[in-house]
């Protein structure tokens, strides 16, 4: 059983080892114990904070295999990105120039630096151990964040949720987009840039040119990766698109990865989720459809499981799922189909007339 939960103090040693196993470009999972501990502490403090509107809160989550207690993935939510320091992107724009004399109309793509401070809610920091990238673990790790947002909407921006997808980085940790453009201004290797990004973004403001750049003048290998996700991030990008995200026409400054966005009310996992009560444990046969279920508490827990629904709309769960969610009969739950539904029919539990315990 895999459980999605907030990072806890006792996770630091394992989290540090997990960060060192991650590949280059995962800036939200620094290979530095002090920086990781700072992220962990901020997450714990954010959960304890009485929030009326989003500010600098940041929530870090892990996906834990309960059978052996190991961390197999991480993801995060920034309540309001760029609260403490700006976010920088390149915006892709089309320019049109015409000559009446020659009867020519030229259309060309340009990229222009844009700066946001503060920004919107951002889902980020998703990294899954490669050996667990089959079987739906990545789906749980990504989508559970939206159930958390759905449970606590006052903690997040009501207008937009954004996500930056990791761009193309080769096997030698070179980013073609960076090498073809900003390396000429920053005079650092891409891996050195990542190290600086782990500590802050002040250097970007100091060195970033403010002019637009014609895409056609970039090297071919740089042009080809603008707005492209890293191959390992393509499944995550496809998943978010199916949840309602779309390309913003903005890309990361350094690896050229796409920035995508959606209104919270249009994200399937939030829009289609149902708030109900836990009717109890049942070990009877459930339907084939899997659901993402969470406990709705600030001490958040979510897992993928089958379930059944009684005539009141309350749900029964297998014992392992109930234990993973740390819930008791009568407690509120939120659930949504793990995948977009093709069939709305759900097996009804034969105990549907059973009263909920007080």
């Amino acid at each position: 059983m895999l459980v999605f939960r907030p990072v806890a103090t006792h996770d630091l040693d394992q989290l540090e080892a997990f960060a060192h196993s991650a590949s280059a470009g995962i800036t939200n999972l620094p290979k530095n114990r002090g920086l990781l501990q700072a992220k962990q502490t901020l997450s714990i403090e954010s959960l304890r904070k009485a929030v009326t509107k989003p500010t600098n809160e940041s929530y870090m989550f892990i996906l834990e295999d309960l059978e052996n207690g190991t961390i197999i993935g991480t993801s995060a939510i920034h309540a309001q990105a760029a609260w403490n320091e700006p976010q920088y992107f390149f915006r892709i724009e089309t320019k049109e120039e015409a000559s009446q004399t020659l009867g020519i109309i030229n259309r060309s793509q340009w990229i222009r630096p844009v700066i946001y401070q503060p920004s919107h809610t951002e889902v980020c920091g998703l990294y899954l151990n490669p050996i667990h990238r089959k079987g739906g673990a990545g789906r749980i790790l990504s989508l559970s964040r939206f159930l958390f947002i759905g449970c606590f909407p006052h903690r997040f921006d009501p207008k937009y949720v954004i996500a930056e997808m990791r761009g193309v980085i080769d096997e030698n940790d070179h980013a073609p987009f960076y090498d073809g453009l900003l390396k000429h201004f920053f005079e650092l290797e891409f891996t050195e840039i990542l190290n600086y990004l782990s500590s802050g973004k002040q250097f970007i403001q100091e060195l970033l040119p403010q002019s637009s750049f014609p895409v056609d003048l970039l090297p071919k290998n740089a042009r080809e990766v603008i707005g492209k996700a890293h191959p390992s991030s393509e499944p995550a990008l496809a998943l978010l698109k199916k949840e309602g995200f779309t390309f913003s026409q903005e890309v990361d400054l350094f690896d050229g990865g796409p920035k995508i966005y959606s209104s919270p009310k249009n994200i399937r996992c939030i829009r289609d989720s149902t708030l109900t009560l836990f009717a109890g444990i049942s070990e009877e046969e459930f339907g084939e459809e899997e659901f993402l279920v969470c406990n709705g508490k600030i001490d958040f827990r979510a897992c993928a499981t089958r379930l059944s629904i009684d005539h009141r709309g309350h749900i029964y769960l297998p014992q392992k799922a109930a234990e993973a969610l740390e819930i008791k009969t009568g407690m509120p739950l939120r659930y949504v189909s793990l995948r977009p539904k093709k069939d709305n029919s759900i097996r009804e539990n034969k105990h549907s007339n059973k009263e909920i315990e007080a």
Side-chain angles (χ1 to χ4, degrees), residues 283-296:
E283 295 301 335
E284 296 177 11
E285 183 180 355
F286 294 96
E288 292 300 315
E289 186 176 5
E290 276 195 302
F291 292 83
L292 196 60
V293 185
C294 71
N295 60 11

Side-chain angles (χ1 to χ4, degrees), residues 95 108-111 181 212-219 223 226:
K95 293 186 178 182
S108 58
Q109 279 197 331
W110 293 64
I111 51 175
L181 180 56
S212 298
F213 299 91
V215 171
D216 286 341
L217 295 187
L218 297 178
R223 296 197 306 268
I226 295 175

Side-chain angles (χ1 to χ4, degrees), residues 163-194:
E164 297 180 56
M165 309 308 296
R166 184 185 179 208
V168 175
I169 303 168
D170 67 21
E171 63 276 5
N172 296 315
D173 292 340
H174 290 286
F177 181 69
Y178 172 74
D179 289 346
L181 180 56
L182 288 188
K183 187 177 181 180
H184 301 292
F185 298 92
F186 288 81
E187 299 182 353
L188 294 169
E189 295 298 325
F190 180 67
T191 50
E192 294 177 294
I193 287 289
L194 294 181

